[in-house]
Structures are given as C-alpha cells and as structure tokens.
Amino acid sequence: MDDSPRLLALLRRTARHRGAAIGMFLIAALVLAALLAPFLSPYDPYAQSLDEGLSGPTAAHWFGQDKFGRDVFSRLVHGARLSLAVGIGTVAISLLIGLAAGSMAGFLGGWADRVFTGACDVLLAFPGILLAIGIAAVRGPSFGNVLFALSVLGWVGYARVIRAQVLKVKAMEFVESARAIGAPPSRMLLAHILPNALSPILVEATFGIARAIVAEAGLSFLGLGVAPPAASWGSMIGDGRHFLFVAPHLVTAPGAAILLTVMAFNFVGDGLRDALDTRS
Amino acid sequence: MNRTPLPRLAAFFSLALLAACSQRLPIDEGRLVIALPGTPVSLDPRLATDAYGEQILQMTHAALLRLDAAGNPVPDLASGWESPDPLKYVFTLRSGARFHDGRPLTSADVKFTFDWVLDPANRSPHRAMYRHVRSIDAPDARTVVFRLSEPFAPFLSTMVRGIVPAGSRAGGYAPPAGAGPYRIDDVSPDGAAELSAFDGCLDGPPAIRRVTVKFIPDSNVRFLELRMGSVNFALNGVDPDMLAAAEKTGRLAVEEAAGGNVSYLGFNLRDRALSDPRVRRAIALAIDRDAIVRTIWEERADVVDTILPAGSWARDPDLPKVLPDPFRARRLLDEAGYRDPDGGGPLPRLRLTYKTSQNEVRRRVATVVQEQLRQVGILVEIQSLEWGTFFSDVKKGNFQLYGLTWVGISDPDIYFHAFHSASAPPDGANRGGYANARVDRLTEAARREPSREKRREMYREVQRILARELPVFPLWAGRNLLVRDRRLRGFELTPDESYHAVRDLRIDPPAAGPAPAGTPR
C-alpha cells in the first residue's frame, strides 16, 4: 500500500491552518540551515579570536561575537543541527520503545497490560527533567547522554497513548472481520490496528520534539548538555547570561532561536491535531 | 473637565521616585554589608578549612599571630615571641585580652585550642599542620611554650589559628566565643551572618558598629546588589568583565592589589603521554597565558612561572619564561612520537581530558586552553565537574590534566607539600605523582633550616628544577579586586585576601542621623 497520497493530503490539510503553515515554513528553514550549516556559517564556530571578545553585531559578525571572539551566527547555525538532532533523536527513540511497549500491552491485554500500566504509573511519578539532570550529572555532558537522559522517561507518554488507541481500534468491526477470516495476530496488529492508531501519536511526537529541544536547552544551560566547545543554544544562553549587562546580544540570539523553533513545532502540532480530528 | 489620568499618574511616579531616592541604604545607617560568593562550611576556627569560613573568622577570632601584607608573622594576641632553639617557641600574651563573653583570655585557652586540634578524637582537618608539635605548656597566664619534635621553619606561619575559650565544644554555625573585633550575633546558612562590634577588643572597638555578611553565590546578583547599594563591599566577588560597569555607577570604587592565589595546570605523571617531559613542555608552549590574562582576566592577573605569589621572599625572579610557540610545540610532539596522523586534518595527535570545577572563569579558561591545544593537534575533552567530585578526583589522581588554584600560599614549604615524592594525598598535595630525588632532599632540608637566606637558596634551586621538568605548569596569580562603596575608607588589601582590615574601615563622611527625605544619592 502506498501511503504518500494520504500523507500529502494530510500535509495539505495541516497547511490550511495559518499557524501551522508558518510553523512548517520555519521548520523547513531550520532543517535547511542545519543541513547546510558548514556552508551557511561564515566562520568556524569553534575558532576563537580572543581580543575581539564580546563585540556587538557588525557587518562582519551579524550577531556579534561571544567572550572568546567566536562568531555567534555561525554557532547559532551549528546549534540548529544539535537542537534538531536532539529533538528528532529523542522522539525517535522514545517512539520506538513506546510503540513496541504500548501496542503489545494494548493488543495482548490481561496480565501484560496490567504490568505495563503499573510500570507506566511508577515511571510517570518521577519528575522527568529532574531525572534527566541526575542522569546527565552522573554520566557527564555529551550528546549521547542527553539523548539517553531525555528518552529514559520520554517513551512512557507515547506508550500510553498507543495503548489507548490500540484498545480502541482493536474493538472496531474491521478488526473483528480480520480475526474472523483467520488473520494471524502479528498481521492484525501490524497491518490493521497500528496504521489506524497512529494519528494521535503524530501530534504527540510533534509536541515532543519541541519539548525535547527545550529540555536539551535546559540541560545545556546548566552545563549538563553537550560538552564544550560544541555550540548548543542552551549553553550559548548559559554562557551569555554572565555578560547580560555588557553583551545582551549573547542571550537574545539563541533565546529567539529556541522561541521560534519551539513555537514552529507547536503550531504544526496544533495544525496536525485539527487536520486529523475527524469531527472537524 | 479634564478627565485624563496623566497628571495623577505623573504625581504618583514623582512620589514613587521621591520614595526611591529617600530610601535609606545600609551604609547610611552605618552598616557594612559584605558579599561572600559562598556559604561557610563551619565557623569554628578549629574546624573551618573553607575560604569563606576563614574570612569571617578573621573578623571574629583573634590568633597569636597574623600575617602582614608580605606574609610575615606579626603580633595579634601575642605581644612577642622567641625561639631559644629550633625546637622551642615561647609566646607572651598581651595583657587585658578578653573573649566576647567577657572572660579573660589566658595561656590556658591557647593551650586548650591547640591541644583540641591535635587530639585525634576531634578529627580536626588542621591536625596534620601541627604534627611537629610535641607539647604545649602554659607555665603562667601570659606565657605559652610550644615544643616541637623536629625543626619546622614555617612554624610561626601556622600560629594564625583563632583562639577559643578553654572547654569549648565543637560548634559549626554556633561557634565558640572569640576575641576579635566583631562578635557573631546570628548566622543563617542560606542567607547571612550578622556581626556587631566588640567593645572589649584589645585594639579598641572597630569604627563600623554593625556588619552583615551576605552569602550570594551568583555573580550577577552580587553585582546588582552592589549597584543598588544593598551590598557595599565585595572582595573578589565581581567578575573582571563587570568592573568597568561597576566603576561607571559613581557609587562604587574598584581597588586592585597583587594576589596570592596562583592558578596552575596539573599533569598526571602516571599517564603514558604526560610522563614524557616533552609532551608537558609542548602543552606549555601551546598555551598563550598572556592572551588569557588579557582577555579572560581583563588584565587583572599576572603571568607566573612558579607557584609562589609575587611578594614571596623565596621566589626566584630569574626563572626562564615559557613563551607561546606552537611551532616548537608540534616539533616536540613529533619527537615524543605523537605525529600528526593526517597532516592538518581533523584527526588529533593525542587526546586528553581536562578536569575543572564549575567556576565560570575556570570554565572559560578551559575553553581557551582546549582551543589553543587543538591548534597543535591535541584534542581536549573538558569535564567541568561539581566541586566535591572534581576535588576528590584530583586527590585520587583520577585525571590527565586539571586546572586548580593554590589559595593563600604563605610559606615556600608548599614545595614540600606539593612536590615531595612522599607527599601523596590525602596528607600531601603531590597529586600528579612527581618524584625527583634532588627536590625531595632540598625540600626536606629547607623546612628544617632556620636561616631564611639558606632556605631561599634551596627553594630557588627547587624552582629551577620544576621549571625544567614542569610537573605542573604555573599559569597566573589573580589580583585581588575590591569593589566597595566610595564612602568606605581605610581597608588595606593584602595578597592573602585577608579580612582582618575590616576593623580599620570607616564611613567617610560618617553616617549621621536620619537623612532628609529626597536627598539625591
């Protein structure tokens, strides 16, 4: 079965939502910036020119230079890679685990479902960001550790949504008929139930990317994100806040980048939700 | 009828402005407010080891001696001392000394204080410092006799510990009484310590009657409070980048003096790469200390080639300077067998980790060192760790490179402590595992030698050996920076960041009664 016409139709319906259209445009720009970072950034994001530290925006350095004389614009563009990678990576890992756990629990029911629900309740009792801070603090700052710290609890939300969807779809008539004609359980789950249970997950995942980007920025702000000298928007704000009185441009540029990115994903999430809502 | 709210708004804002202008600041009430960048761990002079605790104790607890700006011992509670032989020191106490609670301070209190520190049951962290003391006697109320088990030249510089009344139990935030110019009225660990002048102080009561010591960890907050006037004194509490902004306020003045805190880059000599002196030399040649001092420290530090601060009598002024030379650094790495695998490509010659605390300025230094070493092909991973973890790793030898600062070096015996092969942690500070038989012999002999001239010669030779072998790379001595209200006068900055001189501070012009409302300040 070819899903691309359905996907295109969905995108078109989403783009009718004005906010979502702006969001999609921003995300496309961001993805382009991330992909083309080495060509877009006028300077090496790590190269220091110490004597030019804290210079404000100029024609040569559009967003100014940080304490080490590094070009803020180049670091911002490279930071986009990192933010997107963390956002998409975290959601992908969480989704994979959540999809497997949630669909099995919903499909099998019985004791498997009870164990799953109990485990979810226990895991959701942990404050997510505190656990992530704890993990990052123990394991040290690195890209892999950020992904790990954010995915450890990140999957639980997806798993619960999937389980609820699977339970709902499982009781529908077309699934009953598939069972009646003797379809094996694996085929019922993969071919009939899951494809019809995915829409809410798509919305959830879009918001999830935004949440992961904010969480990464938070961890990096605290010095627990990626290791220096890697450019992360959060660590740029974390380093820049010490110069709030002398070089406010160091926090405004990455701050605006985080704001726009998170806003874009949330707008698209809203649009998707409306587009997938069968009542509308 | 005019219904616009403008006139009313204007009146409101004028009144608010008037109220703001007439708001009385602590200094108008004759109160000194000091900002410390952290909370003291203990305020008992027998137990405190942290800088913040020691700094408060310098205002509240008098000692037998204290150190002057050049690091020489001068009388405090003792009127004088003599040493008939290198194993015996006799101190005579000044008459009339009293504790804050009115009890007279006698030689029995001095004996009690040091006996308490030496008693293993009390687990004082200062015990190792007095391990040469064999016995303490108090033959009369004003005489104390210390007998040593072996000659120990730096002995006098250890007599700066605050004296507490005989029989005092260990106290953390409820410390035993002292005999210093201020008494501690109240301490709240997450807020501030309130001190008030002690009229019975030997040197007369201090001019400023009330002192608040606020514990403010965030440098931005410290700066804002100084700017607003709710803090009026901060020693090394404002980042170098903010000093210009501080001076611009008109209310604040910045003073600067040579500092005694020397930063250095530590190497682990047990590491295969770093055990090679050529690799250590190459790292030293790759680092441009002048550029770091100029940009990260805003010129508020001095490059050093030994770990002794500038004013020290034992310092060798003719040590060879290490000047940055990336070309020679690469050649040395080639010679040591760390060739560039891809000729200027992204692959490094060598990978090292650099551990540092989370102190903001130290993290910035690490970032610059990382980039400067990348230029010669050494890929450095920075691990910026919480202080407890970091210091424990350093003491355990769990590092390749680390950046740290020696605080308050007062005697060149530091060379025994930091470089003698037997000075491994926890009792010593030879964290990199350095061993050199000549340095061992010299540092042992120097601490037994009573003649300062002969000690100087020995320490100069030690410094020359260390400059050649580079078991650590000395970086710079940070200057002491005082940001204070312009009206505060009389404080003498010393290299060891001493707060003793707080007692000499006065407010000029003096704080009078209630200020007339609306007086612009």
Side-chain angles (χ1 to χ4, degrees):
Chain A
M1 193 169 77
D2 185 7
D3 276 345
S4 45
R6 271 171 66 185
L7 198 67
L8 269 181
L10 176 65
L11 281 181
R12 214 171 293 133
R13 247 184 302 152
T14 309
R16 250 180 253 149
H17 188 284
R18 189 179 301 157
I22 298 173
M24 282 157 93
F25 172 75
L26 282 174
I27 292 172
L30 193 72
V31 170
L32 264 180
L35 289 177
L36 302 176
F39 308 101
L40 279 179
S41 49
Y43 299 92
D44 175 353
Y46 308 124
Q48 302 178 347
S49 34
L50 290 173
D51 288 309
E52 293 166 22
L54 301 184
S55 305
T58 58
H61 298 275
W62 301 341
F63 291 175
Q65 286 163 283
D66 71 3
K67 175 69 190 163
F68 308 104
R70 299 180 295 200
D71 181 50
V72 172
F73 179 73
S74 303
R75 291 181 68 73
L76 209 61
V77 173
H78 277 81
R81 286 185 150 189
L82 194 100
S83 287
L84 273 188
V86 168
I88 294 171
T90 305
V91 168
I93 297 173
S94 307
L95 209 55
L96 220 65
I97 305 174
L99 215 59
S103 57
M104 289 313 282
F107 187 66
L108 295 175
W111 65 267
D113 190 32
R114 281 198 295 279
V115 169
F116 167 83
T117 318
C120 280
D121 287 341
V122 172
L123 287 174
L124 281 178
F126 283 110
I129 190 71
L130 278 190
L131 187 73
I133 289 175
I135 292 172
V138 171
R139 294 171 57 104
S142 83
F143 177 74
N145 289 344
V146 170
L147 277 192
F148 176 73
L150 296 182
S151 312
V152 160
L153 287 185
W155 63 273
V156 181
Y158 300 107
R160 280 168 71 104
V161 176
I162 278 285
R163 170 185 167 273
Q165 280 297 109
V166 168
L167 280 179
K168 194 175 97 187
V169 177
K170 197 168 81 167
M172 286 182 176
E173 281 178 4
F174 71 94
V175 179
E176 289 294 322
S177 17
R179 186 176 295 140
I181 59 170
S186 59
R187 187 175 159 74
M188 271 171 36
L189 181 63
L190 294 177
H192 299 290
I193 300 180
L194 270 187
N196 290 292
L198 277 182
S199 352
I201 280 294
L202 209 58
V203 178
E204 182 70 15
T206 319
F207 291 124
I209 294 178
R211 278 197 303 268
I213 289 175
V214 171
E216 186 276 330
L219 286 179
S220 291
F221 178 84
L222 297 172
L224 298 168
V226 292
S232 148
W233 294 343
S235 61
M236 286 169 79
I237 296 182
D239 294 342
R241 88 193 135 110
H242 300 283
F243 308 104
L244 216 52
F245 297 105
V246 280
H249 63 275
L250 294 185
V251 295
T252 37
I258 295 176
L259 175 82
L260 284 176
T261 308
V262 171
M263 214 172 67
F265 277 104
N266 283 344
F267 278 174
V268 171
D270 281 342
L272 270 178
R273 191 174 46 203
D274 292 352
L276 288 168
D277 191 348
T278 44
R279 283 167 300 182
S280 63
Chain B
M1 196 168 85
N2 183 4
R3 292 184 64 88
T4 76
L6 264 179
R8 250 183 256 174
L9 266 179
F12 172 78
F13 280 115
S14 319
L15 273 176
L17 197 69
L18 207 65
C21 288
S22 64
Q23 187 189 3
R24 282 171 64 77
L25 298 170
I27 196 162
D28 302 322
E29 289 158 1
R31 192 154 60 95
L32 172 70
V33 186
I34 298 174
L36 281 188
T39 306
V41 179
S42 168
L43 288 175
D44 186 323
R46 299 165 296 174
L47 295 168
T49 53
D50 61 302
Y52 310 131
E54 301 255 12
Q55 286 165 345
I56 293 179
L57 290 169
Q58 286 167 349
M59 297 184 265
T60 58
H61 285 68
L64 283 181
L65 307 176
R66 57 196 167 82
L67 302 178
D68 68 7
N72 297 312
V74 291
D76 191 6
L77 283 172
S79 59
W81 65 89
E82 56 184 21
S83 178
D85 65 73
L87 294 178
K88 189 176 174 190
Y89 289 84
V90 182
F91 294 91
T92 309
L93 299 183
R94 291 159 75 186
S95 57
R98 286 185 180 279
F99 287 110
H100 297 154
D101 55 11
R103 274 182 283 178
L105 189 154
T106 68
S107 54
D109 301 303
V110 179
K111 176 176 161 53
F112 169 82
T113 302
F114 286 99
D115 279 341
W116 195 97
V117 170
L118 283 165
D119 184 350
N122 294 323
R123 297 190 181 178
S124 166
H126 301 299
R127 198 172 147 248
M129 192 190 279
Y130 301 103
R131 60 181 177 270
H132 306 277
V133 176
R134 204 185 58 203
S135 68
I136 304 160
D137 295 310
D140 62 62
R142 287 184 50 206
T143 310
V144 196
V145 183
F146 284 79
R147 287 194 174 78
L148 310 187
S149 53
E150 56 176 318
F152 185 56
F155 175 74
L156 286 176
S157 68
T158 65
M159 289 291 105
V160 295
R161 191 137 319 281
I163 303 300
V164 298
S168 301
R169 292 188 187 173
Y173 282 135
Y182 289 97
R183 72 170 97 219
I184 300 176
D185 294 333
D186 183 44
V187 187
S188 59
D190 51 354
E194 298 290 345
L195 316 180
S196 60
F198 172 46
D199 290 327
C201 181
L202 260 187
D203 297 314
I208 295 182
R209 305 291 300 169
R210 298 190 54 75
V211 176
T212 302
V213 185
K214 280 190 179 178
F215 314 135
I216 311 176
D218 188 282
S219 67
N220 274 329
V221 177
R222 285 196 299 275
F223 174 72
L224 281 175
E225 291 224 24
L226 276 162
R227 207 166 74 160
M228 282 171 9
S230 52
V231 164
N232 43 43
F233 185 100
L235 181 50
N236 293 335
V238 174
D239 283 352
D241 310 272
M242 309 264 204
L243 292 173
E247 275 176 321
K248 242 186 257 169
T249 57
R251 189 207 301 279
L252 299 169
V254 177
E255 277 180 54
E256 186 176 330
N261 299 347
V262 177
S263 298
Y264 64 95
L265 177 69
F267 300 111
N268 193 340
L269 280 74
R270 290 164 282 240
D271 182 85
R272 199 174 66 84
L274 295 169
S275 64
D276 189 331
R278 288 171 297 188
V279 174
R280 301 199 295 272
R281 171 77 46 189
I283 290 174
L285 288 168
I287 296 174
D288 186 349
R289 296 175 296 177
D290 284 311
I292 298 177
V293 163
R294 194 172 59 242
T295 56
I296 305 294
W297 288 101
E298 307 275 333
E299 308 274 12
R300 313 278 181 165
D302 303 290
V303 170
V304 293
D305 287 287
T306 178
I307 58 167
L308 289 180
S312 169
W313 54 266
R315 187 169 149 133
D316 185 346
D318 303 317
L319 287 173
K321 305 251 173 303
V322 181
L323 297 172
D325 187 346
F327 179 76
R328 230 184 101 213
R330 286 188 210 103
R331 216 176 50 207
L332 279 173
L333 287 172
D334 284 343
E335 283 172 25
Y338 297 97
R339 297 185 175 283
D340 193 342
D342 55 354
L347 286 179
R349 300 161 177 262
L350 180 62
R351 286 170 194 273
L352 294 172
T353 55
Y354 178 119
K355 289 192 176 173
T356 178
S357 69
Q358 287 173 333
N359 174 294
E360 190 47 38
V361 178
R362 308 222 187 293
R363 281 179 49 197
R364 278 178 218 154
V365 168
T367 308
V368 178
V369 167
Q370 179 184 48
E371 173 63 15
Q372 291 181 342
L373 291 182
R374 182 172 80 114
Q375 299 296 330
V376 299
I378 300 175
L379 193 73
V380 173
E381 181 200 338
I382 297 174
Q383 291 187 1
S384 160
L385 307 166
E386 174 273 320
W387 172 257
T389 317
F390 167 63
F391 199 51
S392 138
D393 275 3
V394 167
K395 282 193 289 193
K396 278 191 231 147
N398 179 18
F399 60 83
Q400 283 183 301
L401 305 174
Y402 70 93
L404 201 59
T405 298
W406 278 114
V407 178
I409 300 172
S410 55
D411 192 279
D413 190 50
I414 183 78
Y415 286 111
F416 178 87
H417 189 59
F419 298 106
H420 191 283
S421 59
S423 290
D427 288 337
N430 183 356
R431 292 140 188 168
Y434 178 65
N436 177 306
R438 180 75 187 147
V439 169
D440 284 1
R441 270 200 305 279
L442 283 167
T443 50
E444 277 167 35
R447 66 188 340 213
R448 292 209 186 88
E449 174 57 59
S451 150
R452 185 176 266 197
E453 270 314 305
K454 287 183 187 159
R455 287 186 80 201
R456 189 194 328 255
E457 275 320 302
M458 295 179 196
Y459 284 124
R460 289 195 171 174
E461 187 182 343
V462 170
Q463 290 169 69
R464 286 193 294 273
I465 298 173
L466 297 179
R468 197 168 58 235
E469 303 201 330
L470 287 179
V472 302
F473 181 37
L475 299 172
W476 44 76
R479 296 205 194 134
N480 284 326
L481 296 168
L482 171 65
V483 179
R484 59 163 174 88
D485 191 289
R486 280 190 183 282
R487 290 162 65 192
L488 288 170
R489 300 280 157 85
F491 187 85
E492 189 196 2
L493 268 172
T494 57
D496 62 345
E497 270 183 87
S498 166
Y499 278 61
H500 279 119
V502 165
R503 62 156 299 126
D504 303 326
L505 272 174
R506 55 181 199 283
I507 298 169
D508 200 13
T519 309
R521 295 199 175 85

